[in-house]
Amino acid sequence: MALLDIKDLTVRYTGRGREIEAVRGVNLSLAPGDTLGLAGESGCGKSTLAMSVLRLLPASARIGGEILLDGEDVNTMKWGRLRAVRWTTAAIVFQGAMHALNPVRRVRDQIAEPIVLHADTPPPPAALRRRVDELLAQVELPAEKGESYPHELSGGQKQRVMIAMALACEPRLVIADEPTTALDVIVQAQVLALLSRLVTEQDIGLIMISHDLAVLAATCRRLAVMYEGRLVEEGESAAVIGRPEHPHTAALAAAFPTVGDPEYRYAPATSSELGLPDPPPPPSGEPLLRTEGLRVTFTGRGRSVTTAVAGVDLEVHAGEIVALVGQSGSGKTTLARTVLGLQRPTAGRVVFDGTPLPTGTRGLRAYRRQVQLVLQDPTSALNPRHSVYESVAEGLRIHKMPGDERARVAAALEAAELRPAEEFMPLLPHQLSGGQRQRVVIAGALALEPRLLVADEPVASLDASVRGEILALLLRLRARLGLAALVITHDLGLAWNIADRVAVMYRGELVEVGPVDEVLRSPTHDYTRSLLAALPTLGTPAEH
Amino acid sequence: MTAPSPRALAWRRRGAAFAAGWKQYASQRAGLVGLGLLVLIVLLAVLAPYISDQQGLDVTKATGGRMEPPSGEFPLGTDRVGRSVLLLTLWGARVSLLVGFVATLLSIAIGTIIGILAAHYGRWVSAGLMRVTDFFLVLPSLVLAIALSTVLERGVGTIILAIGLTSWPSAARLVRAQTLTIEARPYIERSKALGGGHLHVIGKHVLPAVLPLVFVNTTLAVGSAIVAESTLSFLGLGDPDPMRPSWGSMLRSAWLDSAVIAGAWWYLLPPGIAIGIVVLAFTMCGRALEAVLNPRLREG
């Protein structure tokens, strides 16, 4: 008998006079010990589907169809029975481990919580302790870590704690909702390997949700793709990725490029009729931006000194796209802020177009017309009270740019491919999609006619299909306006997609700099090699 | 046909937002009752010179007897010198409301400026300004107000200054906290990267985001300013001119004239109840506004 059997499930959210159909007639079944990956973009209903298995949906949700967990319908369970089933039969590894853990309790107590809750008689403290130690060992954490508070653990360790929590009551089904989204490639690879090992060892059924097909392919035997609340494709992972039948699956698969495959070089997935420009000739002459021995240190409380950037020499030529790659905490964002003059260097200097970065207010203002910033999350990078027009015109007004403001705004919006510009001007950020918001941020930067764009994880918070469009836009802007870009990312695929050169940053230093083809195909530094090795790839199916 | 200018569009959007806000406000009965009471009281106070005769406040021209109980001629009785208590209460509203509004505006203005500056500049500016704020916060405000009114000339101006200078610290703390959360948003960073200076960031991003909170706080603070005015007047620090009575000074003279012993309840109750009603009305309006302007409260 199947462990989980979902029959014709529909979920509707009602409220404020309108109805949203999040899940529309999904059929799914999972055998014990089987692994299923659930892929789809944000808003496709994949999280709703997962939460409905344990009836964790908000009160406004109307559920139709059947969810059979071990042959028992979750929807008709009494409250007491549902409580017993939650965590003992099926457990969830929640998205964002940093928010799902209680910051004021030791992780040992948090792991023990479900065990105590579900025991008929409270287990003796010694036995409980042994059990938690055992769980910590299973997720490869030393027993002492149990005494830590969540803020003392790294992101990967917190995610391990979450997994230990999910395993506490020996469930037969584990649902992992984007378990690695906020993690680095290397940590992500470790967490994925751990999940796969536990699932095979303990014969647990696993449903893993992600928007990244490569991540799912690395852990799951089967793959299901959701689109607008429906299951559009289901099958063996390798088959689904290798021969996608639904166009949406193909788009998802294409969005995450294979590093090293020439097919994806300078070719982010885009369906725009504007096409992609030819690869540019190699730049020559004086670099546009140069950092010389740049160091940034922070003095914390108790006089402890943290070195974020430890002597970086980096060059960006006119019309060149340089990708700065590294793990979180490697100092790449600090480097970007220093280049923009938002952070003062402790030592060394930034040279732009032959002159050192000014320190005065007036000089910096003039400098910032030339160098513009594109932030990671466009939703928070736009003032929610300002219309598109006002956001784009903000820079023009600051610098009192001559000429017709309206014409300049329209031109910038056109350049960011928001057409027709007139229609977008009066809209507020919440009326736009994520990709459109990022285009508005880019338009705001373009309005000032900069020569260098510093983009901090420009596509990290965007959906797979939008990702390629924004990257293609950057390539087209470079070809048309000769715009140079310093793109900061943890995603090697992005570097492979658009960058000319790549700089690998590790612990505040650049360990390897060179043309993308060379560095990513034949890395010389160990760290670059481990970054490449940690990439989940679509080509190699999971080992079972 | 040319498209409407972005400025006109922005105003149209604000108009629509205001209409939506009003609809939400109107759905709260307490807020409507409070607003109705306030409009009535403010109208009466503003129109006092037209609907009554100020000469009735002149002690030398008082027509009534000494502490007469309510009658047809004097619906709320008379005070010790024979003036109509109804007339006194009506004219008292002018002083009380004036002090309440102006003192609140003063205190909120100081609080908003200090709060925004402290949060925006951070470091030693914040440390310095917040220590000053803490100093005023721990100081018993009544004592400070009494000290100020004894040093300065007695009068409405002094009372306004005394209340304004003692009640701003809580507003400053509130505005600083709100500013800090706004300043942490990435759009502030974007604005700085665009080249925006301090004035631009504060004027375009911080102030508009902080204003709703300031507005709600103002409404709630008027009530306490009116109470503070009454307290100071009751203690004898108010305007000594009998032609400009306030509710606090009415209570003071009622107490000095032993109205309780004389059984003259009509002398004591009207100003006291008036203070209560006005403060309640402001609080009801403030709470309703808070529910409209602070979305976090609405979710709960």
Side-chain angles (χ1 to χ4, degrees), chain A residues 337 365 368 372 380-381 383 385-386 389 391 394 398-399 406, chain B residues 6 13 186-187 189-197 200 204-205:
Chain A
R337 286 177 49 90
R365 180 171 297 189
R368 284 181 184 145
Q372 274 301 312
S380 51
N383 189 333
R385 291 159 194 273
H386 288 185
Y389 182 94
S391 287
E394 189 176 351
I398 289 170
H399 294 282
R406 195 181 181 84
Chain B
R13 206 176 63 233
Y187 60 78
E189 174 126 338
R190 171 175 175 268
S191 184
K192 284 183 187 159
L194 282 171
H200 175 85
K204 282 278 173 197
H205 295 285

PDB file of all heavy atoms in Angstrom, chain A residues 337 365 368 372 380-381 383 385-386 389 391 394 398-399 406, chain B residues 6 13 186-187 189-197 200 204-205:
ATOM      1  N   ARG A 337      29.992  47.071  -1.722  1.00  0.00           N
ATOM      2  CA  ARG A 337      29.628  48.319  -1.038  1.00  0.00           C
ATOM      3  C   ARG A 337      30.806  49.294  -1.026  1.00  0.00           C
ATOM      4  O   ARG A 337      30.623  50.504  -1.107  1.00  0.00           O
ATOM      5  CB  ARG A 337      29.175  48.022   0.388  1.00  0.00           C
ATOM      6  CG  ARG A 337      27.773  47.389   0.453  1.00  0.00           C
ATOM      7  CD  ARG A 337      27.420  47.043   1.892  1.00  0.00           C
ATOM      8  NE  ARG A 337      27.661  48.169   2.783  1.00  0.00           N
ATOM      9  CZ  ARG A 337      26.762  49.093   3.079  1.00  0.00           C
ATOM     10  NH1 ARG A 337      25.571  49.007   2.583  1.00  0.00           N
ATOM     11  NH2 ARG A 337      27.056  50.076   3.893  1.00  0.00           N
ATOM     12  N   ARG A 365      28.834  62.044  -4.895  1.00  0.00           N
ATOM     13  CA  ARG A 365      27.580  62.161  -5.629  1.00  0.00           C
ATOM     14  C   ARG A 365      27.836  62.082  -7.126  1.00  0.00           C
ATOM     15  O   ARG A 365      27.143  61.382  -7.857  1.00  0.00           O
ATOM     16  CB  ARG A 365      26.892  63.469  -5.256  1.00  0.00           C
ATOM     17  CG  ARG A 365      25.583  63.661  -5.975  1.00  0.00           C
ATOM     18  CD  ARG A 365      24.812  64.824  -5.440  1.00  0.00           C
ATOM     19  NE  ARG A 365      24.433  64.622  -4.033  1.00  0.00           N
ATOM     20  CZ  ARG A 365      23.612  65.414  -3.381  1.00  0.00           C
ATOM     21  NH1 ARG A 365      23.095  66.461  -3.981  1.00  0.00           N
ATOM     22  NH2 ARG A 365      23.298  65.183  -2.129  1.00  0.00           N
ATOM     23  N   ARG A 368      28.678  58.561  -8.151  1.00  0.00           N
ATOM     24  CA  ARG A 368      27.559  57.622  -8.159  1.00  0.00           C
ATOM     25  C   ARG A 368      26.677  57.748  -9.385  1.00  0.00           C
ATOM     26  O   ARG A 368      25.784  56.920  -9.588  1.00  0.00           O
ATOM     27  CB  ARG A 368      26.732  57.795  -6.882  1.00  0.00           C
ATOM     28  CG  ARG A 368      27.443  57.163  -5.715  1.00  0.00           C
ATOM     29  CD  ARG A 368      26.665  57.276  -4.453  1.00  0.00           C
ATOM     30  NE  ARG A 368      27.447  56.720  -3.346  1.00  0.00           N
ATOM     31  CZ  ARG A 368      27.419  57.191  -2.116  1.00  0.00           C
ATOM     32  NH1 ARG A 368      26.661  58.224  -1.851  1.00  0.00           N
ATOM     33  NH2 ARG A 368      28.135  56.631  -1.185  1.00  0.00           N
ATOM     34  N   GLN A 372      26.326  52.350 -10.709  1.00  0.00           N
ATOM     35  CA  GLN A 372      25.005  52.139 -10.129  1.00  0.00           C
ATOM     36  C   GLN A 372      24.855  50.748  -9.528  1.00  0.00           C
ATOM     37  O   GLN A 372      25.559  49.815  -9.899  1.00  0.00           O
ATOM     38  CB  GLN A 372      23.938  52.380 -11.186  1.00  0.00           C
ATOM     39  CG  GLN A 372      23.551  53.847 -11.282  1.00  0.00           C
ATOM     40  CD  GLN A 372      23.026  54.370  -9.970  1.00  0.00           C
ATOM     41  OE1 GLN A 372      22.187  53.745  -9.349  1.00  0.00           O
ATOM     42  NE2 GLN A 372      23.556  55.490  -9.518  1.00  0.00           N
ATOM     43  N   SER A 380      12.117  44.680  -1.879  1.00  0.00           N
ATOM     44  CA  SER A 380      12.435  45.618  -0.808  1.00  0.00           C
ATOM     45  C   SER A 380      13.315  46.755  -1.298  1.00  0.00           C
ATOM     46  O   SER A 380      13.538  47.711  -0.575  1.00  0.00           O
ATOM     47  CB  SER A 380      13.115  44.878   0.339  1.00  0.00           C
ATOM     48  OG  SER A 380      14.190  44.113  -0.152  1.00  0.00           O
ATOM     49  N   ALA A 381      13.802  46.661  -2.537  1.00  0.00           N
ATOM     50  CA  ALA A 381      14.668  47.723  -3.038  1.00  0.00           C
ATOM     51  C   ALA A 381      13.861  48.883  -3.602  1.00  0.00           C
ATOM     52  O   ALA A 381      14.428  49.899  -3.966  1.00  0.00           O
ATOM     53  CB  ALA A 381      15.612  47.181  -4.108  1.00  0.00           C
ATOM     54  N   ASN A 383      10.748  51.604  -2.868  1.00  0.00           N
ATOM     55  CA  ASN A 383       9.881  52.158  -1.844  1.00  0.00           C
ATOM     56  C   ASN A 383       8.430  51.830  -2.213  1.00  0.00           C
ATOM     57  O   ASN A 383       7.958  52.201  -3.280  1.00  0.00           O
ATOM     58  CB  ASN A 383      10.086  53.666  -1.773  1.00  0.00           C
ATOM     59  CG  ASN A 383       9.382  54.289  -0.590  1.00  0.00           C
ATOM     60  OD1 ASN A 383       8.375  53.762  -0.120  1.00  0.00           O
ATOM     61  ND2 ASN A 383       9.895  55.388  -0.114  1.00  0.00           N
ATOM     62  N   ARG A 385       5.744  53.033  -1.456  1.00  0.00           N
ATOM     63  CA  ARG A 385       4.850  54.177  -1.641  1.00  0.00           C
ATOM     64  C   ARG A 385       5.119  54.929  -2.936  1.00  0.00           C
ATOM     65  O   ARG A 385       4.389  55.844  -3.274  1.00  0.00           O
ATOM     66  CB  ARG A 385       5.029  55.170  -0.488  1.00  0.00           C
ATOM     67  CG  ARG A 385       4.541  54.664   0.817  1.00  0.00           C
ATOM     68  CD  ARG A 385       5.211  55.441   1.928  1.00  0.00           C
ATOM     69  NE  ARG A 385       5.014  54.774   3.189  1.00  0.00           N
ATOM     70  CZ  ARG A 385       3.969  54.968   3.957  1.00  0.00           C
ATOM     71  NH1 ARG A 385       3.060  55.812   3.626  1.00  0.00           N
ATOM     72  NH2 ARG A 385       3.846  54.300   5.090  1.00  0.00           N
ATOM     73  N   HIS A 386       6.222  54.622  -3.608  1.00  0.00           N
ATOM     74  CA  HIS A 386       6.569  55.361  -4.813  1.00  0.00           C
ATOM     75  C   HIS A 386       6.138  54.599  -6.062  1.00  0.00           C
ATOM     76  O   HIS A 386       6.335  53.382  -6.138  1.00  0.00           O
ATOM     77  CB  HIS A 386       8.078  55.605  -4.876  1.00  0.00           C
ATOM     78  CG  HIS A 386       8.556  56.621  -3.880  1.00  0.00           C
ATOM     79  ND1 HIS A 386       9.830  57.072  -3.824  1.00  0.00           N
ATOM     80  CD2 HIS A 386       7.901  57.269  -2.890  1.00  0.00           C
ATOM     81  CE1 HIS A 386       9.953  57.956  -2.847  1.00  0.00           C
ATOM     82  NE2 HIS A 386       8.790  58.085  -2.268  1.00  0.00           N
ATOM     83  N   TYR A 389       7.287  55.486 -11.910  1.00  0.00           N
ATOM     84  CA  TYR A 389       7.837  56.735 -12.422  1.00  0.00           C
ATOM     85  C   TYR A 389       8.729  57.403 -11.383  1.00  0.00           C
ATOM     86  O   TYR A 389       9.859  57.792 -11.668  1.00  0.00           O
ATOM     87  CB  TYR A 389       6.697  57.686 -12.819  1.00  0.00           C
ATOM     88  CG  TYR A 389       7.188  58.987 -13.414  1.00  0.00           C
ATOM     89  CD1 TYR A 389       7.308  59.134 -14.778  1.00  0.00           C
ATOM     90  CD2 TYR A 389       7.565  60.049 -12.602  1.00  0.00           C
ATOM     91  CE1 TYR A 389       7.773  60.305 -15.328  1.00  0.00           C
ATOM     92  CE2 TYR A 389       8.045  61.233 -13.137  1.00  0.00           C
ATOM     93  CZ  TYR A 389       8.145  61.349 -14.503  1.00  0.00           C
ATOM     94  OH  TYR A 389       8.616  62.514 -15.037  1.00  0.00           O
ATOM     95  N   SER A 391      10.172  56.128  -8.763  1.00  0.00           N
ATOM     96  CA  SER A 391      11.376  55.356  -8.455  1.00  0.00           C
ATOM     97  C   SER A 391      12.450  55.562  -9.502  1.00  0.00           C
ATOM     98  O   SER A 391      13.630  55.694  -9.179  1.00  0.00           O
ATOM     99  CB  SER A 391      11.032  53.863  -8.353  1.00  0.00           C
ATOM    100  OG  SER A 391      10.339  53.612  -7.164  1.00  0.00           O
ATOM    101  N   GLU A 394      13.906  59.154  -9.408  1.00  0.00           N
ATOM    102  CA  GLU A 394      14.569  59.562  -8.169  1.00  0.00           C
ATOM    103  C   GLU A 394      16.012  60.010  -8.420  1.00  0.00           C
ATOM    104  O   GLU A 394      16.431  61.084  -8.004  1.00  0.00           O
ATOM    105  CB  GLU A 394      14.538  58.407  -7.169  1.00  0.00           C
ATOM    106  CG  GLU A 394      14.998  58.820  -5.794  1.00  0.00           C
ATOM    107  CD  GLU A 394      14.869  57.695  -4.785  1.00  0.00           C
ATOM    108  OE1 GLU A 394      14.262  56.655  -5.108  1.00  0.00           O
ATOM    109  OE2 GLU A 394      15.388  57.871  -3.681  1.00  0.00           O
ATOM    110  N   ILE A 398      17.839  63.695  -8.041  1.00  0.00           N
ATOM    111  CA  ILE A 398      18.982  63.897  -7.142  1.00  0.00           C
ATOM    112  C   ILE A 398      20.100  64.618  -7.881  1.00  0.00           C
ATOM    113  O   ILE A 398      20.709  65.540  -7.371  1.00  0.00           O
ATOM    114  CB  ILE A 398      19.479  62.544  -6.607  1.00  0.00           C
ATOM    115  CG1 ILE A 398      18.466  61.968  -5.625  1.00  0.00           C
ATOM    116  CG2 ILE A 398      20.842  62.687  -5.941  1.00  0.00           C
ATOM    117  CD1 ILE A 398      18.749  60.541  -5.240  1.00  0.00           C
ATOM    118  N   HIS A 399      20.348  64.174  -9.119  1.00  0.00           N
ATOM    119  CA  HIS A 399      21.471  64.737  -9.856  1.00  0.00           C
ATOM    120  C   HIS A 399      21.057  65.910 -10.732  1.00  0.00           C
ATOM    121  O   HIS A 399      21.854  66.421 -11.493  1.00  0.00           O
ATOM    122  CB  HIS A 399      22.122  63.647 -10.717  1.00  0.00           C
ATOM    123  CG  HIS A 399      22.761  62.590  -9.897  1.00  0.00           C
ATOM    124  ND1 HIS A 399      23.978  62.753  -9.297  1.00  0.00           N
ATOM    125  CD2 HIS A 399      22.343  61.357  -9.527  1.00  0.00           C
ATOM    126  CE1 HIS A 399      24.291  61.666  -8.612  1.00  0.00           C
ATOM    127  NE2 HIS A 399      23.310  60.814  -8.733  1.00  0.00           N
ATOM    128  N   ARG A 406      10.363  63.343 -18.060  1.00  0.00           N
ATOM    129  CA  ARG A 406       9.470  62.289 -18.507  1.00  0.00           C
ATOM    130  C   ARG A 406      10.069  61.485 -19.654  1.00  0.00           C
ATOM    131  O   ARG A 406       9.987  60.251 -19.675  1.00  0.00           O
ATOM    132  CB  ARG A 406       8.141  62.917 -18.944  1.00  0.00           C
ATOM    133  CG  ARG A 406       7.038  61.906 -19.078  1.00  0.00           C
ATOM    134  CD  ARG A 406       5.758  62.571 -19.532  1.00  0.00           C
ATOM    135  NE  ARG A 406       4.730  61.554 -19.619  1.00  0.00           N
ATOM    136  CZ  ARG A 406       4.016  61.136 -18.605  1.00  0.00           C
ATOM    137  NH1 ARG A 406       4.227  61.637 -17.402  1.00  0.00           N
ATOM    138  NH2 ARG A 406       3.109  60.191 -18.747  1.00  0.00           N
TER     139      ARG A 406
ATOM    140  N   PRO B   6       2.933  62.970 -13.964  1.00  0.00           N
ATOM    141  CA  PRO B   6       3.124  62.057 -12.829  1.00  0.00           C
ATOM    142  C   PRO B   6       2.714  62.701 -11.505  1.00  0.00           C
ATOM    143  O   PRO B   6       2.245  62.018 -10.604  1.00  0.00           O
ATOM    144  CB  PRO B   6       4.626  61.764 -12.869  1.00  0.00           C
ATOM    145  CG  PRO B   6       5.216  62.742 -13.818  1.00  0.00           C
ATOM    146  CD  PRO B   6       4.150  63.180 -14.730  1.00  0.00           C
ATOM    147  N   ARG B  13      -3.647  59.339  -6.819  1.00  0.00           N
ATOM    148  CA  ARG B  13      -3.455  58.116  -6.044  1.00  0.00           C
ATOM    149  C   ARG B  13      -3.647  58.396  -4.562  1.00  0.00           C
ATOM    150  O   ARG B  13      -4.273  57.643  -3.846  1.00  0.00           O
ATOM    151  CB  ARG B  13      -2.045  57.588  -6.301  1.00  0.00           C
ATOM    152  CG  ARG B  13      -1.914  56.125  -6.112  1.00  0.00           C
ATOM    153  CD  ARG B  13      -0.523  55.666  -6.466  1.00  0.00           C
ATOM    154  NE  ARG B  13       0.480  56.239  -5.618  1.00  0.00           N
ATOM    155  CZ  ARG B  13       1.552  56.886  -6.048  1.00  0.00           C
ATOM    156  NH1 ARG B  13       1.749  57.043  -7.326  1.00  0.00           N
ATOM    157  NH2 ARG B  13       2.428  57.362  -5.202  1.00  0.00           N
ATOM    158  N   PRO B 186      16.256  47.925   2.133  1.00  0.00           N
ATOM    159  CA  PRO B 186      17.191  48.088   1.019  1.00  0.00           C
ATOM    160  C   PRO B 186      16.915  49.313   0.151  1.00  0.00           C
ATOM    161  O   PRO B 186      17.821  49.818  -0.489  1.00  0.00           O
ATOM    162  CB  PRO B 186      17.008  46.801   0.221  1.00  0.00           C
ATOM    163  CG  PRO B 186      16.520  45.818   1.211  1.00  0.00           C
ATOM    164  CD  PRO B 186      15.689  46.589   2.170  1.00  0.00           C
ATOM    165  N   TYR B 187      15.680  49.806   0.105  1.00  0.00           N
ATOM    166  CA  TYR B 187      15.455  50.942  -0.795  1.00  0.00           C
ATOM    167  C   TYR B 187      16.165  52.198  -0.300  1.00  0.00           C
ATOM    168  O   TYR B 187      16.406  53.118  -1.078  1.00  0.00           O
ATOM    169  CB  TYR B 187      13.975  51.182  -1.109  1.00  0.00           C
ATOM    170  CG  TYR B 187      13.037  51.483   0.019  1.00  0.00           C
ATOM    171  CD1 TYR B 187      12.983  52.731   0.596  1.00  0.00           C
ATOM    172  CD2 TYR B 187      12.146  50.510   0.477  1.00  0.00           C
ATOM    173  CE1 TYR B 187      12.081  53.012   1.606  1.00  0.00           C
ATOM    174  CE2 TYR B 187      11.244  50.777   1.481  1.00  0.00           C
ATOM    175  CZ  TYR B 187      11.213  52.037   2.044  1.00  0.00           C
ATOM    176  OH  TYR B 187      10.323  52.294   3.039  1.00  0.00           O
ATOM    177  N   GLU B 189      19.226  51.997   0.870  1.00  0.00           N
ATOM    178  CA  GLU B 189      20.564  51.758   0.308  1.00  0.00           C
ATOM    179  C   GLU B 189      20.575  52.125  -1.171  1.00  0.00           C
ATOM    180  O   GLU B 189      21.517  52.737  -1.659  1.00  0.00           O
ATOM    181  CB  GLU B 189      20.935  50.281   0.499  1.00  0.00           C
ATOM    182  CG  GLU B 189      22.239  49.905  -0.169  1.00  0.00           C
ATOM    183  CD  GLU B 189      23.204  49.267   0.790  1.00  0.00           C
ATOM    184  OE1 GLU B 189      23.041  49.488   2.001  1.00  0.00           O
ATOM    185  OE2 GLU B 189      24.106  48.556   0.353  1.00  0.00           O
ATOM    186  N   ARG B 190      19.503  51.740  -1.868  1.00  0.00           N
ATOM    187  CA  ARG B 190      19.412  52.069  -3.294  1.00  0.00           C
ATOM    188  C   ARG B 190      19.440  53.577  -3.479  1.00  0.00           C
ATOM    189  O   ARG B 190      20.133  54.096  -4.345  1.00  0.00           O
ATOM    190  CB  ARG B 190      18.119  51.486  -3.869  1.00  0.00           C
ATOM    191  CG  ARG B 190      17.820  51.956  -5.268  1.00  0.00           C
ATOM    192  CD  ARG B 190      16.596  51.284  -5.863  1.00  0.00           C
ATOM    193  NE  ARG B 190      16.315  51.865  -7.153  1.00  0.00           N
ATOM    194  CZ  ARG B 190      15.496  52.888  -7.350  1.00  0.00           C
ATOM    195  NH1 ARG B 190      14.873  53.437  -6.344  1.00  0.00           N
ATOM    196  NH2 ARG B 190      15.291  53.355  -8.555  1.00  0.00           N
ATOM    197  N   SER B 191      18.687  54.269  -2.633  1.00  0.00           N
ATOM    198  CA  SER B 191      18.618  55.715  -2.745  1.00  0.00           C
ATOM    199  C   SER B 191      19.994  56.340  -2.516  1.00  0.00           C
ATOM    200  O   SER B 191      20.389  57.274  -3.198  1.00  0.00           O
ATOM    201  CB  SER B 191      17.614  56.233  -1.723  1.00  0.00           C
ATOM    202  OG  SER B 191      17.448  57.599  -1.844  1.00  0.00           O
ATOM    203  N   LYS B 192      20.752  55.790  -1.553  1.00  0.00           N
ATOM    204  CA  LYS B 192      22.097  56.312  -1.301  1.00  0.00           C
ATOM    205  C   LYS B 192      22.994  56.024  -2.496  1.00  0.00           C
ATOM    206  O   LYS B 192      23.803  56.859  -2.883  1.00  0.00           O
ATOM    207  CB  LYS B 192      22.685  55.665  -0.047  1.00  0.00           C
ATOM    208  CG  LYS B 192      22.110  56.225   1.236  1.00  0.00           C
ATOM    209  CD  LYS B 192      22.790  55.578   2.430  1.00  0.00           C
ATOM    210  CE  LYS B 192      22.126  55.987   3.722  1.00  0.00           C
ATOM    211  NZ  LYS B 192      22.427  55.027   4.793  1.00  0.00           N
ATOM    212  N   ALA B 193      22.848  54.828  -3.071  1.00  0.00           N
ATOM    213  CA  ALA B 193      23.685  54.471  -4.214  1.00  0.00           C
ATOM    214  C   ALA B 193      23.345  55.338  -5.416  1.00  0.00           C
ATOM    215  O   ALA B 193      24.189  55.582  -6.267  1.00  0.00           O
ATOM    216  CB  ALA B 193      23.503  53.005  -4.561  1.00  0.00           C
ATOM    217  N   LEU B 194      22.099  55.822  -5.502  1.00  0.00           N
ATOM    218  CA  LEU B 194      21.721  56.724  -6.585  1.00  0.00           C
ATOM    219  C   LEU B 194      22.365  58.081  -6.393  1.00  0.00           C
ATOM    220  O   LEU B 194      22.349  58.917  -7.285  1.00  0.00           O
ATOM    221  CB  LEU B 194      20.204  56.895  -6.627  1.00  0.00           C
ATOM    222  CG  LEU B 194      19.390  55.776  -7.248  1.00  0.00           C
ATOM    223  CD1 LEU B 194      17.908  56.010  -6.995  1.00  0.00           C
ATOM    224  CD2 LEU B 194      19.640  55.680  -8.734  1.00  0.00           C
ATOM    225  N   GLY B 195      22.906  58.316  -5.208  1.00  0.00           N
ATOM    226  CA  GLY B 195      23.556  59.590  -4.948  1.00  0.00           C
ATOM    227  C   GLY B 195      22.777  60.480  -3.988  1.00  0.00           C
ATOM    228  O   GLY B 195      23.143  61.630  -3.790  1.00  0.00           O
ATOM    229  N   GLY B 196      21.700  59.985  -3.430  1.00  0.00           N
ATOM    230  CA  GLY B 196      20.865  60.778  -2.535  1.00  0.00           C
ATOM    231  C   GLY B 196      21.598  61.127  -1.245  1.00  0.00           C
ATOM    232  O   GLY B 196      22.238  60.284  -0.653  1.00  0.00           O
ATOM    233  N   GLY B 197      21.508  62.390  -0.844  1.00  0.00           N
ATOM    234  CA  GLY B 197      22.140  62.823   0.400  1.00  0.00           C
ATOM    235  C   GLY B 197      21.214  62.617   1.586  1.00  0.00           C
ATOM    236  O   GLY B 197      20.151  62.016   1.468  1.00  0.00           O
ATOM    237  N   HIS B 200      17.728  64.158   1.152  1.00  0.00           N
ATOM    238  CA  HIS B 200      16.893  63.408   0.218  1.00  0.00           C
ATOM    239  C   HIS B 200      16.333  62.156   0.886  1.00  0.00           C
ATOM    240  O   HIS B 200      15.137  61.878   0.808  1.00  0.00           O
ATOM    241  CB  HIS B 200      17.727  63.019  -1.006  1.00  0.00           C
ATOM    242  CG  HIS B 200      16.996  62.144  -1.965  1.00  0.00           C
ATOM    243  ND1 HIS B 200      16.172  62.636  -2.942  1.00  0.00           N
ATOM    244  CD2 HIS B 200      16.921  60.798  -2.060  1.00  0.00           C
ATOM    245  CE1 HIS B 200      15.647  61.650  -3.606  1.00  0.00           C
ATOM    246  NE2 HIS B 200      16.084  60.513  -3.102  1.00  0.00           N
ATOM    247  N   LYS B 204      12.405  62.128   1.367  1.00  0.00           N
ATOM    248  CA  LYS B 204      11.654  61.343   0.392  1.00  0.00           C
ATOM    249  C   LYS B 204      11.238  59.978   0.921  1.00  0.00           C
ATOM    250  O   LYS B 204      10.249  59.414   0.469  1.00  0.00           O
ATOM    251  CB  LYS B 204      12.514  61.142  -0.870  1.00  0.00           C
ATOM    252  CG  LYS B 204      12.553  62.336  -1.768  1.00  0.00           C
ATOM    253  CD  LYS B 204      11.341  62.399  -2.657  1.00  0.00           C
ATOM    254  CE  LYS B 204      11.357  63.704  -3.407  1.00  0.00           C
ATOM    255  NZ  LYS B 204      10.108  64.087  -3.989  1.00  0.00           N
ATOM    256  N   HIS B 205      12.046  59.408   1.794  1.00  0.00           N
ATOM    257  CA  HIS B 205      11.762  58.030   2.191  1.00  0.00           C
ATOM    258  C   HIS B 205      11.366  57.896   3.665  1.00  0.00           C
ATOM    259  O   HIS B 205      10.393  57.242   3.988  1.00  0.00           O
ATOM    260  CB  HIS B 205      12.973  57.138   1.915  1.00  0.00           C
ATOM    261  CG  HIS B 205      13.293  57.014   0.467  1.00  0.00           C
ATOM    262  ND1 HIS B 205      12.546  56.237  -0.387  1.00  0.00           N
ATOM    263  CD2 HIS B 205      14.245  57.573  -0.296  1.00  0.00           C
ATOM    264  CE1 HIS B 205      13.050  56.325  -1.608  1.00  0.00           C
ATOM    265  NE2 HIS B 205      14.083  57.137  -1.583  1.00  0.00           N
TER     266      HIS B 205
END
